[in-house]
């Protein structure tokens, strides 16, 4: 099994890249944001609960996220591995993921950080806000998501860095250029 994490701030392009990398490497793309949006679309209790939190730009509680991820991992237990996107977003999620994987005799191979400077994030934010693509993509909510990222998610980078499992790539360029950089980083983990 090969398990990778795509890391980075909101609007870094993690979703786009995770899909491409997962499909070319035969891995399962596991996006906690996509799972939550699926629950919202289906009108489930979980969806109703999560929607309010997501629309504020806050994080859904760890227990909820971990249950979803555990289920998804078990649903693909015979697969080649996962590309985690938007997860883990807190230190407790990162340590719990290690345990989930260790219990299944596998581990994280590496984390690729898609680096995008604040100025570029801001201009992507304006562009998306203009198109009104997502309810949690308005400037006010996106600002909140970025501060949540800095306060709660950045420590996750240090967690993998201290294990020698963290590489950064430049996240500004064409989709193809960035995919190539990520591929090269993954090559250093395997
Ligand atoms: P994303 O599509 O990954 O940007 O996620 C959209 C929103 O879903 C986030 O702003 C959070 O409210 C929620 N969410 C997604 N993944 C997680 C996670 N791992 N932990 C907590 N909340 C999450």
């Amino acid at each position: 099994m090969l398990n990778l994490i795509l890391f980075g701030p909101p609007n870094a392009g993690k979703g786009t890249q995770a899909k491409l990398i997962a499909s070319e490497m035969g891995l399962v793309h596991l996006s906690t944001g996509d799972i939550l949006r699926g629950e919202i679309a289906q009108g489930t209790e979980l969806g109703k609960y999560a929607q309010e939190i997501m629309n504020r730009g806050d994080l859904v509680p760890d227990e909820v996220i971990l249950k979803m991820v555990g289920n998804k991992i078990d649903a693909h237990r015979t697969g080649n591995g996962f590309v985690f996107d938007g997860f883990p977003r807190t230190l407790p999620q990162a340590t719990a993921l290690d345990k989930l994987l260790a219990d299944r005799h596998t581990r994280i191979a590496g984390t690729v950080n898609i680096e995008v400077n604040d100025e570029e994030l801001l201009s992507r934010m304006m562009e998306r806000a203009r198109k009104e693509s997502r309810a949690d993509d308005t400037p006010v909510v996106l600002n909140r998501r970025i501060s949540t990222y800095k306060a709660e998610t950045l420590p996750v980078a240090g967690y993998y860095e201290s294990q020698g499992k963290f590489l950064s790539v430049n996240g500004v360029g064409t989709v193809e250029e960035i995919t190539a950089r990520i591929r090269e980083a993954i090559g250093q983990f395997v």
Side-chain angles (χ1 to χ4, degrees):
M1 261 202 169
L2 175 64
N3 301 302
L4 303 163
I5 297 169
L6 286 197
F7 190 85
N11 268 341
K14 297 189 294 291
T16 304
Q17 294 297 335
K19 270 192 203 81
L20 291 168
I21 293 289
S23 94
E24 77 178 42
M25 300 184 75
L27 306 174
V28 173
H29 173 211
L30 196 163
S31 157
T32 43
D34 282 354
I35 299 173
L36 290 168
R37 282 183 288 276
E39 296 283 338
I40 292 171
Q42 288 174 43
T44 65
E45 284 306 311
L46 170 58
K48 284 177 201 148
Y49 166 74
Q51 183 160 37
E52 240 179 85
I53 299 172
M54 291 166 75
N55 286 349
R56 289 199 304 262
D58 290 337
L59 294 183
V60 173
D62 291 338
E63 311 79 66
V64 175
I65 297 290
L66 288 164
K67 193 162 173 232
M68 279 171 18
V69 171
N71 288 340
K72 184 94 175 178
I73 289 177
D74 286 338
H76 296 276
R77 58 166 76 242
T78 57
N80 298 331
F82 297 89
V83 179
F84 295 101
D85 156 18
F87 172 86
R89 251 181 165 97
T90 64
L91 271 181
Q93 289 181 19
T95 53
L97 175 62
D98 276 351
K99 172 129 186 23
L100 273 175
L101 294 177
D103 288 348
R104 290 156 182 81
H105 311 291
T106 184
R107 62 189 190 93
I108 290 296
T111 300
V112 182
N113 176 33
I114 305 180
E115 234 169 11
V116 179
N117 60 50
D118 284 354
E119 196 190 331
E120 171 75 15
L121 286 179
L122 192 74
S123 84
R124 291 183 188 184
M125 173 178 97
M126 307 291 249
E127 179 64 14
R128 284 229 199 149
R130 205 172 51 76
K131 295 181 186 156
E132 286 183 275
S133 53
R134 257 167 62 169
D136 61 351
D137 236 353
T138 62
V140 171
V141 180
L142 196 57
N143 262 323
R144 171 99 187 136
R145 292 174 70 213
I146 290 169
S147 54
T148 302
Y149 169 77
K150 289 183 175 163
E152 306 203 41
T153 306
L154 267 184
V156 173
Y159 178 77
Y160 292 109
E161 232 164 5
S162 69
Q163 300 174 43
K165 291 183 180 178
F166 191 86
L167 286 174
S168 292
V169 299
N170 177 3
V172 182
T174 67
V175 170
E176 294 75 18
E177 281 165 353
I178 298 162
T179 309
R181 292 172 196 151
I182 294 171
R183 222 181 267 129
E184 197 196 322
I186 293 170
Q188 299 187 47
F189 293 132
V190 297

